[in-house]
Every structure is written in C-alpha cells, then in structure tokens.
Amino acid sequence: MDNGTDILGRGAEATVYRTTYLGRDAVVKTRIPKGYRHSGLDMHLRSMRTKNEARIMIDARKAGVRTPVIYDIDVKKCDITMEFISGRKIKDILDDEPSKANEMCGKIGVAVAKLHNAGISHGDLTTSNMILTPDGEICLFDLSLGTTLAETEDLGVDIHLLQRAFTSAHSGLDDSLDVLMDAYTKNMNDAQSILKRVDDIRGRGRYT
C-alpha cells in the first residue's frame, strides 16, 4: 500500500487520506492515538472501534446497502483501507441542485430502510455522510458510531438526526424531506414504531 498524504478529512477521532491499494484508488481511515488515555486502554478502544466499524460496513453491504468495499484492516495500526468512492456528497447536491432533491431523497429513504431492516444504525446519519455514486446509488460512509444490534432508540436517533439536518442545513426542502420519509416508511418494517420513537426523541429535546 502507498501511504500517500492526500488528506481528505481530519476529525477528533480519525484522519482519512487517499492512497492506492494493489493498484486501485483507495482511502485509509486511521484512528488517532489519544495521549490523555492510558496507552493500553487507548490501543484497546481504537482497535475495538476499528473492528466494529468494519463489521458494520460489511453487514450493511450484505443487507444491500452501498458502502465502500473494505480492502484491508490493520487492528494494530487501527487502519481501515477501503474503496475510494468517486461522486458527490448528497449535501452538496441538495445545496447546489435543489431540483434533484426529491430524486435524491427517495433514494435516501430506501437506503436507510434497508440499513434499519437489517438491525443496523448509522449513528451519524446526515447528508454529509452520503455520496451519490456515478451509477446512481446512495453510498453511506463513516459508520463509526453505528451498531449492528440496533434497538428502536438507535434507529429513531438516526431518523431524528436526518430530519434535523433538513431543518438546519437544508431548510426549504420540506417537500423533499416528505419524499424521503414516505420512501422510508414504505420500505421499513414496523416503521410506525420508529416514527413514534422519533416523536419521543423530539419531545425530549424540547424540555432539556
């Protein structure tokens, strides 16, 4: 693997950079050591979270959700090497081409329903963590906060985060959010239980 220095993102938990792997365009996500933690505990947490994220991505693909293909996992370096997804972030499409919002939101609703039907939560479900691939699929990425044993609360939080993104980052696209929720409801098993939990979560927020 060529450890390039083309940084794509740098967050509190990880750095993401573009590279190549066996001649293919790739991305490496590296979890950053935390100096304030005991070194043994830090290593354990970072390696555990690396394995957890990889497992979620693999399980999501098995459920028919587009996620980057994983090429390699190095638990000692806390690295995941994965497919580089060419395309545009959904957030940018919604911002720049609102005429495509209904089409995009229909696709998002179906993709999220597939994820949730498999018992998987994303954990940070926003349009910044979605890419429209050249073949027209919604690709979900950065599932590091998700779980493969999601409960109703976890799935409700996903939907609440997504709805909140539309009231803040994508204000004015209320009709498109309706399209998204309609597609989700039609494709999600027991959708009403999730939507009821979303209402509960929203209500808690009003009084905290």
Side-chain angles (χ1 to χ4, degrees), residues 11-49:
E13 292 295 323
T15 298
V16 179
Y17 60 89
R18 190 169 177 177
T19 185
T20 58
Y21 181 82
L22 300 179
R24 292 172 288 191
D25 285 338
V27 168
V28 175
K29 180 173 183 177
T30 303
R31 279 185 162 74
I32 304 166
K34 299 295 185 181
Y36 58 81
R37 288 195 294 234
H38 181 277
S39 59
L41 175 62
D42 180 67
M43 182 66 201
H44 171 72
L45 289 173
R46 288 189 297 119
S47 62
M48 181 181 66
R49 289 170 182 172

Short mmCIF file of all heavy atoms in Angstrom, two decimals, residues 11-49:
data_model
loop_
_atom_site.label_atom_id
_atom_site.label_comp_id
_atom_site.label_asym_id
_atom_site.label_seq_id
_atom_site.Cartn_x
_atom_site.Cartn_y
_atom_site.Cartn_z
N GLY A 11 -10.58 14.54 11.71
CA GLY A 11 -11.53 14.79 12.79
C GLY A 11 -10.92 14.50 14.14
O GLY A 11 -9.72 14.22 14.25
N ALA A 12 -11.75 14.56 15.16
CA ALA A 12 -11.26 14.33 16.52
C ALA A 12 -10.83 12.89 16.72
O ALA A 12 -9.92 12.61 17.50
CB ALA A 12 -12.35 14.69 17.53
N GLU A 13 -11.47 11.96 16.01
CA GLU A 13 -11.20 10.55 16.22
C GLU A 13 -10.29 9.94 15.17
O GLU A 13 -9.59 8.96 15.45
CB GLU A 13 -12.52 9.76 16.25
CG GLU A 13 -13.40 10.06 17.44
CD GLU A 13 -12.77 9.62 18.75
OE1 GLU A 13 -12.10 8.58 18.78
OE2 GLU A 13 -12.94 10.34 19.75
N ALA A 14 -10.30 10.48 13.95
CA ALA A 14 -9.59 9.81 12.87
C ALA A 14 -9.15 10.78 11.78
O ALA A 14 -9.69 11.88 11.64
CB ALA A 14 -10.47 8.72 12.25
N THR A 15 -8.15 10.33 11.02
CA THR A 15 -7.71 11.02 9.82
C THR A 15 -8.00 10.12 8.62
O THR A 15 -7.80 8.91 8.68
CB THR A 15 -6.20 11.33 9.87
OG1 THR A 15 -5.93 12.19 10.97
CG2 THR A 15 -5.73 12.00 8.58
N VAL A 16 -8.50 10.72 7.54
CA VAL A 16 -8.82 9.97 6.33
C VAL A 16 -7.98 10.53 5.20
O VAL A 16 -7.96 11.75 4.98
CB VAL A 16 -10.32 10.09 5.99
CG1 VAL A 16 -10.64 9.33 4.70
CG2 VAL A 16 -11.18 9.58 7.14
N TYR A 17 -7.27 9.66 4.51
CA TYR A 17 -6.48 10.13 3.39
C TYR A 17 -6.60 9.20 2.20
O TYR A 17 -6.91 8.01 2.33
CB TYR A 17 -5.01 10.32 3.77
CG TYR A 17 -4.29 9.07 4.26
CD1 TYR A 17 -3.64 8.22 3.37
CD2 TYR A 17 -4.24 8.77 5.62
CE1 TYR A 17 -2.98 7.10 3.81
CE2 TYR A 17 -3.57 7.65 6.07
CZ TYR A 17 -2.93 6.81 5.16
OH TYR A 17 -2.28 5.70 5.61
N ARG A 18 -6.36 9.76 1.03
CA ARG A 18 -6.46 9.00 -0.21
C ARG A 18 -5.12 8.33 -0.51
O ARG A 18 -4.06 8.89 -0.25
CB ARG A 18 -6.86 9.92 -1.36
CG ARG A 18 -7.21 9.18 -2.65
CD ARG A 18 -7.85 10.11 -3.64
NE ARG A 18 -8.12 9.42 -4.90
CZ ARG A 18 -8.73 9.99 -5.93
NH1 ARG A 18 -9.13 11.25 -5.84
NH2 ARG A 18 -8.93 9.31 -7.05
N THR A 19 -5.20 7.12 -1.06
CA THR A 19 -3.99 6.36 -1.35
C THR A 19 -4.30 5.39 -2.48
O THR A 19 -5.31 5.54 -3.19
CB THR A 19 -3.51 5.63 -0.08
OG1 THR A 19 -2.28 4.98 -0.33
CG2 THR A 19 -4.53 4.63 0.41
N THR A 20 -3.44 4.40 -2.68
CA THR A 20 -3.72 3.31 -3.60
C THR A 20 -3.49 2.00 -2.87
O THR A 20 -2.69 1.92 -1.94
CB THR A 20 -2.82 3.37 -4.85
OG1 THR A 20 -1.45 3.32 -4.45
CG2 THR A 20 -3.09 4.63 -5.66
N TYR A 21 -4.21 0.98 -3.32
CA TYR A 21 -4.06 -0.35 -2.72
C TYR A 21 -4.11 -1.37 -3.86
O TYR A 21 -5.12 -1.50 -4.54
CB TYR A 21 -5.18 -0.62 -1.72
CG TYR A 21 -5.08 -1.95 -1.04
CD1 TYR A 21 -4.24 -2.13 0.06
CD2 TYR A 21 -5.81 -3.06 -1.50
CE1 TYR A 21 -4.15 -3.36 0.69
CE2 TYR A 21 -5.71 -4.29 -0.88
CZ TYR A 21 -4.87 -4.43 0.21
OH TYR A 21 -4.77 -5.66 0.84
N LEU A 22 -2.99 -2.04 -4.08
CA LEU A 22 -2.87 -3.01 -5.17
C LEU A 22 -3.34 -2.42 -6.50
O LEU A 22 -4.06 -3.05 -7.28
CB LEU A 22 -3.68 -4.28 -4.84
CG LEU A 22 -3.27 -5.04 -3.57
CD1 LEU A 22 -4.17 -6.24 -3.34
CD2 LEU A 22 -1.82 -5.46 -3.64
N GLY A 23 -2.92 -1.18 -6.72
CA GLY A 23 -3.22 -0.51 -7.97
C GLY A 23 -4.58 0.14 -8.06
O GLY A 23 -4.92 0.73 -9.09
N ARG A 24 -5.36 0.06 -7.00
CA ARG A 24 -6.70 0.64 -7.02
C ARG A 24 -6.75 1.89 -6.17
O ARG A 24 -6.09 1.97 -5.13
CB ARG A 24 -7.72 -0.37 -6.47
CG ARG A 24 -7.94 -1.58 -7.36
CD ARG A 24 -8.81 -2.63 -6.69
NE ARG A 24 -8.10 -3.33 -5.63
CZ ARG A 24 -8.55 -4.42 -5.03
NH1 ARG A 24 -9.73 -4.93 -5.38
NH2 ARG A 24 -7.85 -5.01 -4.08
N ASP A 25 -7.56 2.86 -6.59
CA ASP A 25 -7.79 4.04 -5.76
C ASP A 25 -8.41 3.60 -4.44
O ASP A 25 -9.34 2.78 -4.44
CB ASP A 25 -8.72 5.03 -6.45
CG ASP A 25 -8.04 5.80 -7.57
OD1 ASP A 25 -6.80 5.88 -7.54
OD2 ASP A 25 -8.74 6.29 -8.46
N ALA A 26 -7.91 4.13 -3.37
CA ALA A 26 -8.38 3.70 -2.05
C ALA A 26 -8.36 4.86 -1.07
O ALA A 26 -7.81 5.94 -1.34
CB ALA A 26 -7.52 2.55 -1.53
N VAL A 27 -8.96 4.60 0.08
CA VAL A 27 -9.00 5.55 1.20
C VAL A 27 -8.57 4.79 2.45
O VAL A 27 -8.96 3.64 2.64
CB VAL A 27 -10.41 6.13 1.38
CG1 VAL A 27 -10.53 6.88 2.70
CG2 VAL A 27 -10.77 7.06 0.23
N VAL A 28 -7.76 5.43 3.27
CA VAL A 28 -7.39 4.84 4.56
C VAL A 28 -7.95 5.72 5.67
O VAL A 28 -7.78 6.95 5.64
CB VAL A 28 -5.86 4.73 4.72
CG1 VAL A 28 -5.51 4.24 6.13
CG2 VAL A 28 -5.28 3.78 3.68
N LYS A 29 -8.62 5.09 6.61
CA LYS A 29 -9.11 5.79 7.80
C LYS A 29 -8.29 5.31 8.98
O LYS A 29 -8.27 4.11 9.29
CB LYS A 29 -10.59 5.50 8.03
CG LYS A 29 -11.16 6.20 9.26
CD LYS A 29 -12.66 6.02 9.36
CE LYS A 29 -13.24 6.78 10.54
NZ LYS A 29 -14.71 6.68 10.61
N THR A 30 -7.58 6.22 9.63
CA THR A 30 -6.69 5.89 10.74
C THR A 30 -7.19 6.53 12.02
O THR A 30 -7.36 7.75 12.08
CB THR A 30 -5.26 6.37 10.46
OG1 THR A 30 -4.79 5.80 9.25
CG2 THR A 30 -4.32 5.99 11.59
N ARG A 31 -7.43 5.74 13.03
CA ARG A 31 -7.84 6.28 14.32
C ARG A 31 -6.62 6.83 15.06
O ARG A 31 -5.60 6.16 15.19
CB ARG A 31 -8.55 5.21 15.14
CG ARG A 31 -10.00 5.06 14.71
CD ARG A 31 -10.78 4.10 15.57
NE ARG A 31 -12.21 4.34 15.37
CZ ARG A 31 -12.88 3.98 14.26
NH1 ARG A 31 -12.24 3.34 13.29
NH2 ARG A 31 -14.16 4.25 14.14
N ILE A 32 -6.76 8.05 15.56
CA ILE A 32 -5.65 8.79 16.13
C ILE A 32 -5.45 8.42 17.60
O ILE A 32 -6.42 8.38 18.37
CB ILE A 32 -5.94 10.31 16.03
CG1 ILE A 32 -6.21 10.71 14.58
CG2 ILE A 32 -4.78 11.11 16.60
CD1 ILE A 32 -6.83 12.08 14.44
N PRO A 33 -4.22 8.16 18.02
CA PRO A 33 -3.96 7.89 19.45
C PRO A 33 -4.33 9.11 20.30
O PRO A 33 -4.16 10.26 19.89
CB PRO A 33 -2.45 7.64 19.50
CG PRO A 33 -2.06 7.27 18.11
CD PRO A 33 -2.99 8.03 17.21
N LYS A 34 -4.83 8.83 21.50
CA LYS A 34 -5.21 9.89 22.43
C LYS A 34 -4.23 9.88 23.61
O LYS A 34 -4.22 8.93 24.40
CB LYS A 34 -6.64 9.68 22.93
CG LYS A 34 -7.69 9.69 21.83
CD LYS A 34 -7.79 11.06 21.17
CE LYS A 34 -8.92 11.09 20.16
NZ LYS A 34 -9.02 12.40 19.49
N GLY A 35 -3.43 10.93 23.71
CA GLY A 35 -2.40 10.99 24.73
C GLY A 35 -2.92 11.05 26.14
O GLY A 35 -2.21 10.70 27.09
N TYR A 36 -4.18 11.48 26.33
CA TYR A 36 -4.72 11.61 27.68
C TYR A 36 -5.21 10.27 28.23
O TYR A 36 -5.54 10.17 29.41
CB TYR A 36 -5.88 12.62 27.70
CG TYR A 36 -7.02 12.31 26.78
CD1 TYR A 36 -8.01 11.39 27.14
CD2 TYR A 36 -7.13 12.94 25.54
CE1 TYR A 36 -9.06 11.10 26.30
CE2 TYR A 36 -8.18 12.65 24.68
CZ TYR A 36 -9.15 11.75 25.06
OH TYR A 36 -10.19 11.45 24.21
N ARG A 37 -5.25 9.23 27.38
CA ARG A 37 -5.67 7.91 27.85
C ARG A 37 -4.47 7.03 28.14
O ARG A 37 -3.41 7.19 27.52
CB ARG A 37 -6.56 7.23 26.79
CG ARG A 37 -7.94 7.83 26.66
CD ARG A 37 -8.89 6.94 25.87
NE ARG A 37 -8.53 6.76 24.49
CZ ARG A 37 -9.37 7.01 23.46
NH1 ARG A 37 -10.59 7.47 23.69
NH2 ARG A 37 -8.99 6.79 22.23
N HIS A 38 -4.64 6.10 29.05
CA HIS A 38 -3.61 5.08 29.28
C HIS A 38 -3.35 4.38 27.95
O HIS A 38 -4.29 4.04 27.21
CB HIS A 38 -4.10 4.09 30.33
CG HIS A 38 -3.10 3.02 30.64
ND1 HIS A 38 -2.98 1.87 29.87
CD2 HIS A 38 -2.19 2.92 31.63
CE1 HIS A 38 -2.03 1.12 30.38
NE2 HIS A 38 -1.54 1.72 31.45
N SER A 39 -2.08 4.15 27.63
CA SER A 39 -1.72 3.64 26.31
C SER A 39 -2.39 2.30 26.00
O SER A 39 -2.85 2.07 24.86
CB SER A 39 -0.20 3.51 26.18
OG SER A 39 0.32 2.63 27.17
N GLY A 40 -2.46 1.42 26.98
CA GLY A 40 -3.10 0.13 26.76
C GLY A 40 -4.58 0.26 26.50
O GLY A 40 -5.13 -0.39 25.60
N LEU A 41 -5.24 1.12 27.30
CA LEU A 41 -6.67 1.35 27.11
C LEU A 41 -6.93 2.01 25.76
O LEU A 41 -7.87 1.65 25.03
CB LEU A 41 -7.21 2.22 28.24
CG LEU A 41 -8.68 2.66 28.10
CD1 LEU A 41 -9.61 1.46 28.09
CD2 LEU A 41 -9.05 3.62 29.24
N ASP A 42 -6.08 2.98 25.41
CA ASP A 42 -6.22 3.69 24.15
C ASP A 42 -6.15 2.72 22.98
O ASP A 42 -6.97 2.76 22.06
CB ASP A 42 -5.15 4.76 24.02
CG ASP A 42 -5.25 5.53 22.72
OD1 ASP A 42 -6.25 6.27 22.54
OD2 ASP A 42 -4.36 5.37 21.85
N MET A 43 -5.16 1.83 23.02
CA MET A 43 -4.99 0.86 21.94
C MET A 43 -6.19 -0.06 21.85
O MET A 43 -6.70 -0.37 20.76
CB MET A 43 -3.71 0.05 22.17
CG MET A 43 -3.41 -0.95 21.08
SD MET A 43 -3.05 -0.11 19.52
CE MET A 43 -3.38 -1.43 18.36
N HIS A 44 -6.68 -0.49 23.00
CA HIS A 44 -7.84 -1.39 23.02
C HIS A 44 -9.07 -0.71 22.42
O HIS A 44 -9.77 -1.31 21.59
CB HIS A 44 -8.13 -1.82 24.46
CG HIS A 44 -9.42 -2.57 24.61
ND1 HIS A 44 -9.59 -3.86 24.17
CD2 HIS A 44 -10.62 -2.19 25.14
CE1 HIS A 44 -10.82 -4.26 24.42
NE2 HIS A 44 -11.47 -3.27 25.01
N LEU A 45 -9.32 0.52 22.83
CA LEU A 45 -10.51 1.23 22.34
C LEU A 45 -10.43 1.49 20.84
O LEU A 45 -11.40 1.29 20.11
CB LEU A 45 -10.67 2.56 23.09
CG LEU A 45 -11.10 2.47 24.55
CD1 LEU A 45 -11.06 3.83 25.20
CD2 LEU A 45 -12.49 1.85 24.67
N ARG A 46 -9.25 1.94 20.39
CA ARG A 46 -9.12 2.25 18.96
C ARG A 46 -9.23 1.00 18.09
O ARG A 46 -9.88 1.02 17.05
CB ARG A 46 -7.80 2.98 18.70
CG ARG A 46 -7.80 4.40 19.23
CD ARG A 46 -6.58 5.20 18.79
NE ARG A 46 -5.34 4.64 19.30
CZ ARG A 46 -4.34 4.19 18.53
NH1 ARG A 46 -4.45 4.23 17.21
NH2 ARG A 46 -3.24 3.72 19.09
N SER A 47 -8.62 -0.09 18.53
CA SER A 47 -8.70 -1.32 17.73
C SER A 47 -10.11 -1.88 17.74
O SER A 47 -10.61 -2.37 16.72
CB SER A 47 -7.70 -2.36 18.25
OG SER A 47 -7.98 -2.73 19.58
N MET A 48 -10.79 -1.81 18.90
CA MET A 48 -12.16 -2.30 19.00
C MET A 48 -13.09 -1.50 18.10
O MET A 48 -13.93 -2.07 17.39
CB MET A 48 -12.64 -2.20 20.45
CG MET A 48 -14.05 -2.72 20.69
SD MET A 48 -14.55 -2.54 22.42
CE MET A 48 -14.58 -0.74 22.58
N ARG A 49 -12.93 -0.18 18.09
CA ARG A 49 -13.78 0.66 17.26
C ARG A 49 -13.49 0.47 15.78
O ARG A 49 -14.39 0.57 14.94
CB ARG A 49 -13.62 2.13 17.67
CG ARG A 49 -14.23 2.41 19.04
CD ARG A 49 -13.87 3.78 19.58
NE ARG A 49 -14.46 3.97 20.91
CZ ARG A 49 -14.20 5.00 21.70
NH1 ARG A 49 -13.34 5.96 21.30
NH2 ARG A 49 -14.76 5.09 22.89
#
